[in-house]
Amino acid sequence: MSGDVQSRAGRHYVLAAGGTGGHLIPAFALATELERRGHHVALITDERGANIPGKPDFLPAHVLPAGRFGKNPLHWIGGIRAVLEGRSMALRLFETFQPSAVVGFGGYPALPAMLASTSAEIPTVVHEQNAVLGRVNRLMAGKVQAIATSYPDVARLKEKQRIKVDLVGNPVRAEVLTLRDEDFPPFTEDGILRVLVTGGSQGASVLSEVVPDGLAMLQPALRQRLQVTQQCRPEDLDRVRERYRNHDIPAELGTYFEDMETRLADAHLFIGRAGASTIAELTAVGRPAILVPLPIATDDHQAANTREVVKAGGARMIRQDRFTPKELAKQIQAMAQNPGSLSNAAHAAWNCGRPDAAKKLAELVESFGGAEMMDVIRIGANNARGASQGVPAGQGAGCESHTEISE
């Protein structure tokens, strides 16, 4: 064992990810874990990803051309040319950096690096954050050595590819993970109900339209106890502030909150979109939620992301075409009708969390590029995990069955 650990020390790994937070948050978490283990890590992304807040200081970012492929085939020529250029640049980087493995987190900026790694026969892993395999990961799934997933059931995954699957979860930020062992904030029959509303990094106008009026429709005994924190688009800010003022509901509004983890820690109920990172953080901390999937999300993946936690009783999902003030008030009233209901939902959400995701993903990545015999052992272990698509009960790694909150 000591020899194997020694052989893994100081390896080089390349992470490739699209420029959005959904792709980069888990990439940063993995980079931090690999660096903690003594490895050297580099990032391949686009301009957005290279400059996004939260990138670890130790992580060098390489911006490569990637191109995008829309519905118009006339635009594909330029996209293909950019991908091929990015692939050549990635190959040159690999010659210098000599990675033991390359990990792709999806998004078009990851594609050139993934094509380069598979053509150079460098061990390659993809991590899928959503419950539907994304386009780039779908394209590469047949060529990579392992597919790390965040959910037990992932759509668009071919049957013959399931042998490569390893359920690890979706890594979250360390500052959020530290909240996992804290108790759900006290909520009594006459105590304040703190509601946190966000729509992703850019906010969501539909939340600004619906949430203030929905909260105003709650029964007076509950409405009078509200304390709201809501992230809004800049153009919505004044209008939403006026609505809360007219409804006499205390609300703190902003376009961005730097201390989001603190606000999540204090919240009794979350209302927002169903992005992969959002759900990973909600389940890591254990917070009840009303989730409104983005209707234009590719392959309806945000709706798919909600299924596990909704089935467990930790959240409720409302389609955007049914997301009205009346429906929102109905669902909040049902979830907060007594203190025990919210507490039970919080516990159900907590049980869906996979707090060891970064560690498990790091272990999977480390298993590549080692001695040939170790790879044989790894493949056998991964196949067993992929077949079961689960984690032993009692380890806080999966949803357990819970009584759902009554309507």
Side-chain angles (χ1 to χ4, degrees), residues 69-335:
F69 300 88
K71 296 181 179 180
N72 187 349
L74 295 177
H75 298 161
W76 292 1
I77 296 176
I80 293 172
R81 185 181 298 114
V83 167
L84 293 177
E85 182 183 354
R87 176 181 175 275
S88 297
M89 294 173 66
L91 285 170
R92 291 196 294 272
L93 172 63
F94 296 163
E95 289 177 1
T96 303
F97 194 65
Q98 293 290 304
S100 294
V102 175
V103 188
F105 288 85
Y108 283 109
L111 182 56
M114 306 294 286
L115 291 173
S117 63
T118 54
S119 67
E121 298 185 348
I122 299 171
T124 307
V125 178
V126 293
H127 179 270
E128 179 54 59
Q129 300 88 53
N130 294 295
V132 180
L133 202 62
R135 289 175 179 173
V136 170
N137 285 349
R138 201 182 310 160
L139 179 65
M140 301 304 302
K143 302 177 181 180
V144 302
Q145 279 67 50
I147 302 169
T149 63
S150 302
Y151 295 93
D153 185 19
V154 177
R156 293 297 189 101
L157 188 66
K158 294 181 179 178
E159 192 62 36
K160 62 183 179 181
Q161 296 166 349
R162 294 185 182 277
I163 196 171
K164 303 179 183 181
V165 167
D166 199 322
L167 175 62
V168 301
N170 193 12
V172 300
R173 297 172 294 152
E175 55 267 33
V176 171
L177 202 55
T178 60
L179 303 174
R180 182 165 175 83
D181 293 331
E182 295 187 7
D183 292 335
F184 184 65
F187 176 59
T188 61
E189 291 185 359
D190 57 354
I192 293 174
L193 174 61
R194 289 187 290 272
V195 179
L196 176 62
V197 186
T198 77
S201 59
Q202 298 299 318
S205 290
V206 67
L207 299 174
S208 297
E209 288 288 337
V210 173
V211 174
D213 293 345
L215 294 175
M217 294 179 71
L218 293 172
Q219 294 176 5
L222 190 58
R223 186 181 69 241
Q224 293 168 4
R225 297 155 52 199
L226 288 171
Q227 175 62 59
V228 181
T229 300
Q230 183 163 347
Q231 176 204 24
C232 306
R233 291 178 181 271
E235 61 269 25
D236 295 336
L237 205 56
D238 291 340
R239 177 167 48 86
V240 176
R241 183 175 289 113
E242 183 66 20
R243 285 192 177 186
Y244 278 119
R245 186 181 298 116
N246 291 339
H247 293 316
D248 196 25
I249 296 175
E252 180 183 1
L253 309 180
T255 57
Y256 178 75
F257 295 110
E258 292 186 358
D259 59 341
M260 186 59 77
E261 62 275 4
T262 301
R263 297 172 187 274
L264 182 60
D266 292 339
H268 296 109
L269 178 65
F270 172 88
I271 303 173
R273 292 299 195 193
S277 291
T278 295
I279 292 182
E281 293 189 354
L282 290 171
T283 56
V285 177
R287 290 297 178 271
I290 293 176
L291 301 168
V292 187
L294 179 68
I296 60 172
T298 306
D299 296 317
D300 200 22
H301 68 256
Q302 286 204 2
N305 291 346
T306 70
R307 289 171 188 159
E308 184 182 36
V309 67
V310 168
K311 183 178 180 181
R316 293 176 178 234
M317 188 266 281
I318 306 175
R319 290 282 188 177
Q320 185 162 311
D321 59 0
R322 295 185 60 246
F323 186 56
T324 63
K326 182 178 180 180
E327 180 63 22
L328 176 61
K330 172 186 173 183
Q331 297 298 338
I332 294 175
Q333 202 74 47
M335 294 185 75

